[in-house]
Amino acid sequence: MNVEIREIDCIKGKGLFAKKFLPTGSVILEEEPLVCCQFSWNAACNYKACDHCLRPLESAQENARRLAGNYNLVLPHPECCTTNKTAICECASCGTEYCSQDCLVTAFNQYHRTLCLQTKERNGFHPLETLNEAWKQIHHPPETSTIMILPRLIATIEQAENPDEMLKRILNFTHRTRNEDLELVHKIMGDKYVDSLNTLYNLLLAAVPHDVVGPLLTLEGFYSMLALLGTNGQGVGTSPISQWVTKASELPLSKGEKKRLDQFIDKLYEDMDKHSGNFLNNEGVALFSMQSSANHSCDPNAEPNYLHNNSRLSLVALKDIQEGDEICISYLDECNLSRSRHSRHKMLKENYLFVCCCPKCKEQVEDPDVTSSEEEEEDHDDDDDGEDMSE
Ligand SMILES: C[S@@+](CC[C@H](N)C(=O)[O-])C[C@H]1O[C@@H](n2cnc3c(N)ncnc32)[C@H](O)[C@@H]1O
């Protein structure tokens, strides 16, 4: 093990620490998620991924054609496509697709036995479909989470051999809705979300059996579960075309062939950008036991990656990390991380209930509260935006 989890103090709680020197670019740890779920709009918009591990189900060519809106496109070097279409299988009862028999069986034994719709018809009447639809109406893209990971989490407890142990494991993830010491309240507790959350709560109760997890599904418990997801949920992204690009770029080609391939790839990305904008990946959210112990820094020394093109997480060192150093990731995406200290603090307080004291924040302590009118406007938009309860 390259790392260990240690208690830091009553402010930060626990954290992840290096047990040895970890050079820049090295893989610090790899882990499978406890649960993972594709975003609701991402699935509805035909981003085809394994329902269990998010591995792409489209070939690179199918993916490129769909994203570029060009159904005549022919991808050179088809041998660089990593999608194994022959391994794809589906649940005989509901038609849910998986990248392999392994994923099908694992999903069934972990949660799908409870959640299987038992029919291939999708008429929108099943309580799980209703829940998903209600979520989609509340949460338009860009997506940062999905309510549909909650049924999966609940079914995982219900189906576990030892449900109490599993429940304990899940409650080990930070799940508070308030930080009394700092008088911070999670964004989801705001008045503007009360109606949407009540609707989702009632739909969730109707959608999943909750014999064992009953106490978790009081209204207060539901808010805690949402806080747990908001605080610990890690975005997952997979893509057949980016895998193809990586493999094709490693081919031993002549200078001329390499130039033609680069031009092809540039043009393809231009077309995909025009047709699909930023939405190129299969995207979802997952909960990881080890990675969720990593605290935030605005100047992180590690970042999550999906080197296996599925939900298996690889935590990669962004800098040289010395033995004993704390391993920190950024909870903010690249765009938000580049914002002013004021904006970063606002997002971290509302979504993660802490005030960041990382070296970068300390360095910027004298900066004005708002650095640009653009950020002021965005902050204002944020306050008015009605329903979006994640970042
Ligand atoms: C994903 S958990 C990280 C592990 C957590 N420290 C624990 O004890 O379980 C996220 C929570 O950790 C705390 N946290 C993370 N980064 C922090 C930081 N830089 N300063 C203070 N608290 C932090 C916050 O309470 C946050 O909501």
Side-chain angles (χ1 to χ4, degrees):
M1 256 302 201
N2 292 337
V3 295
E4 64 184 358
I5 297 171
R6 267 198 249 143
E7 253 338 282
I8 304 176
D9 55 33
C10 57
I11 297 173
K12 265 187 156 180
K14 58 182 189 280
L16 199 61
F17 290 85
K19 279 175 75 179
K20 62 179 208 189
F21 172 70
L22 299 162
T24 309
S26 61
V27 174
I28 300 169
L29 65 88
E30 292 206 325
E31 67 175 325
E32 302 290 340
L34 181 62
V35 278
C36 168
C37 187
Q38 189 175 9
F39 290 149
S40 300
W41 279 106
N42 193 261
C45 294
N46 233 359
Y47 287 72
K48 291 189 69 175
C50 172
D51 195 60
H52 182 65
C53 79
L54 268 186
R55 189 184 289 286
L57 300 182
E58 284 177 313
S59 68
Q61 175 160 291
E62 288 168 338
N63 187 236
R65 285 180 170 185
R66 183 173 59 78
L67 295 176
N70 173 2
Y71 289 87
N72 297 317
L73 186 146
V74 177
L75 217 54
H77 308 295
E79 71 281 10
C80 295
C81 172
T82 58
T83 310
N84 180 2
K85 301 267 284 191
T86 58
I88 296 173
C89 51
E90 61 171 48
C91 167
S93 306
C94 70
T96 296
E97 287 191 298
Y98 299 95
C99 67
S100 64
Q101 194 65 22
D102 241 21
C103 274
L104 181 145
V105 172
T106 308
F108 187 82
N109 290 335
Q110 190 188 322
Y111 53 81
H112 189 72
R113 180 159 41 85
T114 307
L115 301 178
C116 179
L117 300 189
Q118 304 291 349
T119 167
K120 292 189 180 173
E121 209 176 297
R122 296 291 178 271
N123 55 20
F125 292 141
H126 191 285
L128 280 167
E129 289 181 273
T130 318
L131 177 67
N132 193 32
E133 205 43 48
W135 173 262
K136 276 164 52 202
Q137 293 322 313
I138 292 168
H139 258 270
H140 288 272
E143 298 169 280
T144 51
S145 193
T146 171
I147 192 84
M148 298 314 286
I149 194 172
L150 267 193
R152 228 163 248 206
L153 201 57
I154 293 164
T156 296
I157 304 170
E158 294 281 336
Q159 279 190 217
E161 233 166 76
N162 185 339
D164 289 336
E165 267 301 307
M166 184 56 77
L167 184 60
K168 246 198 231 154
R169 206 174 143 195
I170 286 166
L171 292 178
N172 208 23
F173 289 100
T174 309
H175 57 277
R176 59 183 178 174
T177 52
R178 313 188 134 73
N179 180 338
E180 267 92 12
D181 295 337
L182 297 176
E183 295 183 3
L184 295 174
V185 179
H186 200 286
K187 195 172 170 179
I188 51 163
M189 304 298 279
D191 288 345
K192 63 183 176 183
Y193 303 127
V194 169
D195 290 344
S196 326
L197 289 184
N198 265 329
T199 305
L200 292 173
Y201 174 59
N202 288 315
L203 291 173
L204 180 71
L205 286 183
V208 256
H210 42 275
D211 304 334
V212 182
V213 297
L216 205 68
L217 284 188
T218 58
L219 186 56
E220 203 181 316
F222 173 65
Y223 274 91
S224 288
M225 286 290 101
L226 290 180
L228 184 152
L229 282 184
T231 310
N232 301 278
Q234 175 63 53
V236 180
T238 67
S239 155
I241 195 61
S242 71
Q243 285 282 304
W244 176 87
V245 169
T246 308
K247 295 260 178 240
S249 308
E250 288 164 358
L251 288 172
L253 302 176
S254 69
K255 244 186 172 177
E257 287 169 328
K258 174 104 187 79
K259 193 172 166 201
R260 272 196 298 283
L261 179 66
D262 287 347
Q263 282 168 345
F264 177 88
I265 292 172
D266 287 350
K267 170 82 171 63
L268 176 61
Y269 272 100
E270 224 174 83
D271 293 346
M272 293 197 300
D273 185 51
K274 261 189 227 145
H275 191 72
S276 303
N278 288 330
F279 301 107
L280 300 184
N281 293 346
N282 301 325
E283 288 182 1
V285 62
L287 285 176
F288 296 93
S289 301
M290 291 294 282
Q291 171 271 350
S292 71
S293 308
N295 288 311
H296 165 89
S297 167
C298 299
D299 183 16
N301 55 9
E303 72 173 6
N305 256 296
Y306 296 94
L307 304 175
H308 304 278
N309 210 26
N310 64 4
S311 59
R312 183 173 175 80
L313 174 137
S314 310
L315 193 62
V316 176
L318 291 172
K319 315 172 178 190
D320 283 354
I321 299 172
Q322 306 301 325
E323 182 181 340
D325 279 359
E326 185 178 0
I327 296 167
C328 290
I329 57 175
S330 169
Y331 294 177
L332 304 175
D333 63 27
E334 220 175 296
C335 170
N336 286 325
L337 194 59
S338 66
R339 287 171 157 220
S340 67
R341 177 179 177 274
H342 167 81
S343 298
R344 300 197 304 273
H345 274 209
K346 182 172 182 289
M347 285 179 276
L348 292 169
K349 281 196 277 192
E350 287 177 348
N351 292 292
Y352 298 95
L353 303 177
F354 71 94
V355 176
C356 189
C357 298
C358 74
K360 182 168 165 186
C361 285
K362 280 187 186 149
E363 215 175 85
Q364 295 176 346
V365 75
E366 302 294 340
D367 286 4
D369 269 355
V370 172
T371 53
S372 72
S373 53
E374 193 186 303
E375 278 180 359
E376 247 177 358
E377 263 168 38
E378 281 177 31
D379 279 357
H380 187 66
D381 287 349
D382 234 26
D383 293 340
D384 292 342
D385 70 0
E387 303 278 26
D388 191 2
M389 60 196 82
S390 36
E391 281 154 48

